[in-house]
């Protein structure tokens, strides 16, 4: 569920059965607002695909449909939906978010689970050392 006014996304019925509200980035809010406008126009014209939008929305179906219209080069970038979560967690850690903040964002019950998702490369360690000690 997306709240465009409050700029949040509600994750309903995740594995841990605790719904949570996640703030949307400016870019995500812009894309979702534009998509909402397009959806409303399609709905008025009777063109809405209810498998992707509306009350029967399914993000997995949306990603599969999007994958089919991508160029072969872009298809290599689009991985399974759950990897979006991995990427988001890794990006947050790489930009300096603390593990407790990332844990809250991800809805993990423990920091250990968050650590499993947060991939750290040797380059990340090198950059952190340079920022801290130079």
């Amino acid at each position: 569920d997306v709240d465009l006014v409050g700029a949040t996304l509600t994750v309903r019925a995740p594995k841990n059965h605790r719904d949570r509200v996640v703030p949307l980035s400016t870019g995500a809010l812009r894309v979702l607002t534009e998509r909402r406008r397009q959806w409303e126009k399609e709905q008025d014209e009777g063109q809405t695909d209810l498998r992707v939008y509306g009350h029967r929305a399914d993000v997995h179906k949306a990603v599969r449909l999007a994958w089919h219209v991508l160029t072969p080069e872009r298809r290599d970038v689009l991985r399974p939906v759950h990897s979006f979560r991995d990427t988001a967690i890794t990006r947050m850690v790489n930009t300096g978010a603390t593990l407790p903040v990332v844990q809250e964002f991800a809805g993990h019950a423990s920091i250990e689970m968050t650590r499993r998702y947060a991939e750290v490369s040797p380059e990340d360690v090198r950059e952190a050392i340079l920022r801290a000690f130079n």
Side-chain angles (χ1 to χ4, degrees):
D1 294 325
V2 176
D3 175 0
L4 295 176
V5 175
T8 61
L9 173 115
T10 301
V11 179
R12 301 223 184 262
K15 286 187 208 177
N16 66 9
H17 306 290
R18 293 181 304 151
D19 292 355
R20 68 182 183 285
V21 178
V22 179
L24 291 170
S25 69
T26 305
L29 182 60
R30 185 175 49 250
V31 167
L32 291 169
T33 300
E34 178 56 31
R35 183 62 202 122
R36 176 66 187 206
R37 284 189 203 115
Q38 291 171 353
W39 178 76
E40 288 171 349
K41 182 180 177 188
E42 291 168 358
Q43 193 174 28
D44 290 343
E45 297 170 357
Q47 298 176 5
T48 303
D49 180 353
L50 291 178
R51 295 171 302 155
V52 178
Y53 305 104
H55 68 283
R56 293 176 11 196
D58 180 343
V59 70
H60 297 281
K61 289 179 184 176
V63 170
R64 281 193 301 274
L65 288 171
W67 190 84
H68 287 291
V69 299
L70 294 174
T71 64
E73 297 81 28
R74 295 294 296 163
R75 285 183 188 167
D76 291 338
V77 175
L78 186 64
R79 301 183 316 185
V81 171
H82 199 71
S83 71
F84 295 157
R85 177 185 172 114
D86 299 0
T87 300
I89 291 168
T90 298
R91 282 187 182 179
M92 289 182 77
V93 169
N94 288 344
T95 58
T98 63
L99 285 181
V101 168
V102 178
Q103 177 186 5
E104 181 67 24
F105 162 76
H108 291 149
S110 71
I111 287 286
E112 289 308 313
M113 181 58 73
T114 306
R115 286 180 193 211
R116 287 185 205 156
Y117 278 85
E119 298 174 14
V120 178
S121 72
E123 293 81 22
D124 297 330
V125 174
R126 180 182 309 280
E127 288 177 23
I129 290 170
L130 292 174
R131 280 194 308 271
F133 300 108
N134 284 342

